[in-house]
Amino acid sequence: MNYERLTRKQLPKRVYQLLKRIGNTGDEMGLSVFVVGGFVRDLLIGSPNLDADVVVEGDGIAFAHAFAENEGGQVKRHRRFGTAVVVLPDGFKVDVATARTETYAHPGALPSVNPASIKEDLRRRDFTINAMAMALNEDRFGELVDFFDGKADILSESVKVLHDLSFVDDPTRIFRAVRFEQRYGFSIEPHTAELLQRAGSEDCFKTISGQRLRNEILLILKEENPFPAIRRLANFDLVKYIHPRICVSDELAELLDRIRDMGWCPNWDMALISLIALLDQLSADEAVDVSERLALRKRHTEALSLCKMRLPDILQRLDGINLQPSEVYRILKGLPVEVLRFGMAKCQGASDNILLYLTRLRKVRRLVNGNDLRRLGYSEGPLYTQILDETFAAQLDGLRGKSQAIQFVTDRFPL
Ligand code: CTP
């Protein structure tokens, strides 16, 4: 079956045309080129995915350079895996790889790679639904390359490995299986579930780095609705690899629901907010254990620590209490937005005060600065800080405009 029409219908025009031009560069170089993996899966499922992973039968790096030159783009390369990213002038990125086999020196190791055919390249992948390609060369454009019945598994809504050692080769696939299953409302096929269970019960994660485990867990937490996947991980008894004391309860489901109900903004790190929720029942020391085991980034570790060390007290001070805006500002100043959003979901009585801070107070800019004080005739010294702080607090509590602010200064601190 040919998917040219579906591709044209489903994708934004510029992405469709980009795929055509990728095929044209392949034709110019006499190389077969394909778009693969999640892009093809989501095309067939009908959910938009613009992460174009391109595989070339032949020198992927040379192809990336030729394509970037045709487009006026730039190439960033990853020598070890024979992969490159072409960054187009409008910022759109295309990942390019040489079709390759992968062998694992030991379970969980990063693979050694060798050039191969598209069939072999697809064979090394995690699940049949992710092991399809679509040809991009002019004479084959839209042809589905599906050696492992990925399309049939999409139709029967199954997540299925290609071979029995898949989870042993790469234990991160355990989390990926659950993520795809829950994202699409599919089922992990019974034999795959058995393999997953077996790999999961043998603490296979000790062979992979904390960073790889962390990436997969954050990808789950970044899903639009992460709870079903977390519950499924708990059914497979896998949550203990994050921390044995995490309890996947109705309270956690409600907390995550409330986080989702707050909506979403591109500036928020949703995975971090959900991670804070997941670790909510843990003590500060246990949260530190998780940070270390998952090699969390500094920003995440710091946010977790704020939630354990300072947030409970802060929420108590804000809970159901009518405070002056300047007081709310003083209490919340400097806290990361994710900690504040979590605080809102955790304690509804504090959420009005937090929202006031997020939507108004933190954006307020000072009306009076040191130069103004100098001009007014105040001599420089520690008094400046006091005047500026008090004026800013008054501004938060209602002063409007620069002349009111200056008036406040001269009334409150007569020269
Ligand atoms: N892949 C794999 N094993 C992994 C990770 C990735 O076989 N542990 C392969 C799969 O074929 C996958 C492709 O690499 O489709 C790209 O991986 P990635 O970008 O992580 O995922 P997507 O499938 O694109 O999924 P998502 O929608 O979550 O980005």
Side-chain angles (χ1 to χ4, degrees):
M1 179 154 170
N2 188 289
Y3 285 87
E4 162 139 34
R5 266 187 55 200
L6 182 75
T7 309
R8 197 169 349 118
K9 225 172 73 191
Q10 259 195 34
L11 296 174
K13 196 167 168 196
R14 71 190 184 101
V15 178
Y16 169 76
Q17 287 171 341
L18 186 70
L19 293 182
K20 284 283 200 185
R21 297 202 301 277
I22 292 172
N24 293 343
T25 302
D27 291 338
E28 283 161 26
M29 299 177 77
L31 297 172
S32 296
V33 283
F34 306 86
V35 62
V36 298
F39 187 95
V40 181
R41 175 197 69 221
D42 289 342
L43 186 73
L44 266 61
I45 288 176
S47 75
N49 177 344
L50 302 182
D51 287 341
D53 284 329
V54 167
V55 166
V56 180
E57 271 185 338
D59 188 344
I61 302 287
F63 174 88
H65 281 285
F67 180 60
E69 198 169 313
N70 286 346
E71 297 286 323
Q74 291 202 324
V75 179
K76 292 182 194 160
R77 55 184 294 188
H78 191 317
R79 192 180 291 272
R80 171 156 185 210
F81 296 113
T83 60
V85 182
V86 178
V87 186
L88 299 175
D90 63 359
F92 194 85
K93 289 182 184 149
V94 179
D95 283 300
V96 179
T98 302
R100 63 189 194 260
T101 52
E102 287 183 349
T103 42
Y104 296 82
H106 58 82
L110 286 175
S112 347
V113 302
N114 281 304
S117 67
I118 185 72
K119 182 170 184 177
E120 286 167 300
D121 185 283
L122 295 173
R123 191 195 302 281
R124 73 182 165 82
R125 290 171 186 266
D126 50 4
F127 310 113
T128 60
I129 59 170
N130 289 343
M132 291 179 284
M134 188 181 82
L136 298 179
N137 296 82
E138 176 98 52
D139 59 342
R140 296 175 65 185
F141 190 92
E143 180 189 314
L144 187 70
V145 179
D146 181 15
F147 295 106
F148 309 102
D149 293 334
K151 186 180 162 192
D153 287 332
I154 283 182
L155 292 174
S156 65
E157 306 191 331
S158 295
V159 178
K160 187 173 165 188
V161 284
L162 275 77
H163 61 86
D164 283 6
L165 288 179
S166 192
F167 293 125
V168 176
D169 283 347
D170 179 355
T172 64
R173 290 174 174 169
I174 292 178
F175 288 93
R176 291 172 64 85
V178 169
R179 177 158 62 91
F180 293 123
E181 177 191 55
Q182 298 302 317
R183 181 197 291 173
Y184 300 115
F186 285 12
S187 299
I188 298 175
E189 169 269 340
H191 180 60
T192 300
E194 251 172 58
L195 297 170
L196 187 157
Q197 192 98 56
R198 202 178 309 153
S201 66
E202 286 163 8
D203 192 5
C204 53
F205 299 109
K206 61 175 183 273
T207 61
I208 60 170
S209 68
Q211 186 191 330
R212 291 190 70 210
L213 189 58
R214 172 241 290 164
N215 289 344
E216 284 308 323
I217 288 163
L218 291 181
L219 283 173
I220 287 184
L221 295 172
K222 213 165 134 186
E223 290 285 312
E224 209 175 299
N225 179 10
F227 187 73
I230 296 170
R231 192 179 42 208
R232 185 75 158 130
L233 289 178
N235 292 342
F236 280 120
D237 196 20
L238 294 168
V239 177
K240 66 182 180 206
Y241 295 115
I242 306 172
H243 195 282
R245 269 223 333 109
I246 291 174
C247 175
V248 179
S249 59
D250 290 347
E251 287 81 63
L252 175 62
E254 281 162 26
L255 194 53
L256 288 168
D257 269 352
R258 285 203 293 278
I259 289 169
R260 278 200 313 143
D261 289 347
M262 290 186 309
W264 176 86
C265 159
N267 295 336
W268 306 344
D269 181 342
M270 288 308 281
L272 172 57
I273 307 178
S274 300
L275 178 69
I276 295 170
L278 183 68
L279 307 185
D280 186 41
Q281 300 302 320
L282 302 191
S283 69
D285 285 347
E286 288 165 340
V288 171
D289 286 347
V290 176
S291 286
E292 284 171 3
R293 183 185 324 208
L294 299 185
L296 292 184
R297 289 182 197 287
K298 193 162 162 243
R299 205 172 64 78
H300 285 195
T301 304
E302 283 172 359
L304 270 175
S305 151
L306 285 170
C307 286
K308 296 297 171 197
M309 311 304 284
R310 282 185 53 204
L311 193 62
D313 176 53
I314 287 175
L315 293 178
Q316 208 174 16
R317 287 159 71 191
L318 298 177
D319 190 359
I321 299 170
N322 235 337
L323 294 167
Q324 285 283 70
S326 56
E327 185 61 8
V328 174
Y329 182 90
R330 206 180 55 73
I331 295 172
L332 296 178
K333 187 178 151 215
L335 289 176
V337 69
E338 289 81 7
V339 171
L340 296 169
R341 288 281 161 191
F342 172 75
M344 285 176 67
K346 175 81 182 160
C347 174
Q348 280 166 327
S351 63
D352 283 351
N353 281 326
I354 300 179
L355 201 59
L356 173 73
Y357 173 81
L358 279 168
T359 54
R360 190 167 78 74
L361 304 181
R362 74 183 170 133
K363 294 175 189 154
V364 175
R365 295 287 162 259
R366 289 175 188 269
L367 289 168
V368 173
N369 60 30
N371 285 336
D372 296 315
L373 299 187
R374 221 162 290 128
R375 236 177 283 127
L376 287 167
Y378 291 91
S379 33
E380 278 180 55
L383 184 65
Y384 266 42
T385 317
Q386 192 191 341
I387 300 179
L388 293 177
D389 285 354
E390 283 197 28
T391 313
F392 184 60
Q395 201 188 317
L396 293 170
D397 293 339
L399 281 186
R400 289 283 164 270
K402 183 135 178 166
S403 57
Q404 267 194 24
I406 300 281
Q407 187 69 50
F408 172 86
V409 173
T410 51
D411 289 353
R412 175 90 180 76
F413 299 93
L415 275 163

